[in-house]
Amino acid sequence: MPTAAIKICGISTAASLEAAIRARAAHIGLVFFAKSPRAVSPVQAAQLSARAADRIGRVGLFVDADDALLGEAVGAAKLDALQLHGSETAERAAQLRARFGIPVWKALSVATSDDVTRANAYAGAADVVLFDAKTPKGALPGGMGLSFDWGLVANWKGPLAWGLAGGLDPANVAEAIRLTGAPLVDTSSGVESAPGVKDE
């Protein structure tokens, strides 16, 4: 089985940050989306980032955010990458990558093969595409514990790096990696004891 890099998203406390580092995660996700139970303020993110230092990658998650919020978050948290989890276009991804000079990850909601094909549009604009489960209309765009048919992305050979998200937890992640060959796996609610509360 290939060894996949791990991202633990929705880190909001020092304890959960330390747990992610102990678990040898490559990245943490800091959520800058007020509607999420995992949301952090720029001040909280700055404190977590200072504690993380060079021990783990810091990815900021945004949903159709404006440049003011993005700029504040990047500066406060010293982010290593931006994760766009809304309806951001390839043009927007490219614009943000150029403006902030850090990698851009684009999350795409997947229910059909056509959703997977959409990733091709982000070649040259984003650095990583994250295939995530499509959530119900009106629900949060992620962190809902939903998965999709992993066969749709099995051994995906697209024009940019990729990762798998959506419904991953300790019981199914090894099988997900085996079936898809995902080089990166991303979980949030799958390692929680309650919404927004990471289970160390």
Side-chain angles (χ1 to χ4, degrees):
M1 181 180 2
T3 301
I6 299 165
K7 173 171 168 275
I8 307 292
C9 201
I11 296 295
S12 59
T13 67
S16 59
L17 168 65
E18 294 299 333
I21 291 170
R22 284 195 306 274
R24 299 188 304 277
H27 312 277
I28 56 164
L30 300 169
V31 177
F32 297 91
F33 182 57
K35 294 178 182 177
S36 171
R38 304 162 188 93
V40 292
S41 68
V43 170
Q44 288 174 293
Q47 293 168 344
L48 290 166
S49 180
R51 187 177 186 110
D54 297 325
R55 298 188 294 157
I56 195 166
R58 296 155 293 192
V59 180
L61 186 148
F62 303 88
V63 180
D64 298 315
D66 60 28
D67 287 5
L69 173 59
L70 286 156
E72 184 180 14
V74 169
K78 297 179 174 51
L79 297 176
D80 298 303
L82 304 175
Q83 181 176 325
L84 308 179
H85 221 291
S87 57
E88 300 90 357
T89 62
E91 291 74 18
R92 176 68 169 155
Q95 175 194 41
L96 294 175
R97 187 166 67 166
R99 174 168 183 172
F100 294 109
I102 57 176
V104 169
W105 299 17
K106 177 63 182 124
L108 292 176
S109 299
V110 175
T112 69
S113 59
D114 287 344
D115 296 324
V116 177
T117 303
R118 285 178 47 224
N120 296 328
Y122 289 86
D127 300 273
V128 176
V129 65
L130 273 179
F131 295 116
D132 199 353
K134 192 166 279 192
T135 58
K137 193 172 179 66
L140 291 173
M144 304 281 293
L146 303 174
S147 60
F148 65 95
D149 176 4
W150 296 326
L152 294 171
V153 296
N155 300 300
W156 187 69
K157 298 284 189 261
L160 66 171
W162 69 284
L164 181 67
L168 298 176
D169 61 35
N172 68 14
V173 69
E175 180 72 355
I177 295 167
R178 186 185 71 77
L179 287 173
T180 66
L184 167 73
V185 289
D186 187 345
T187 189
S188 185
S189 62
V191 290
E192 291 180 347
S193 56
V197 181
K198 293 292 184 274
D199 184 329
E200 295 167 44

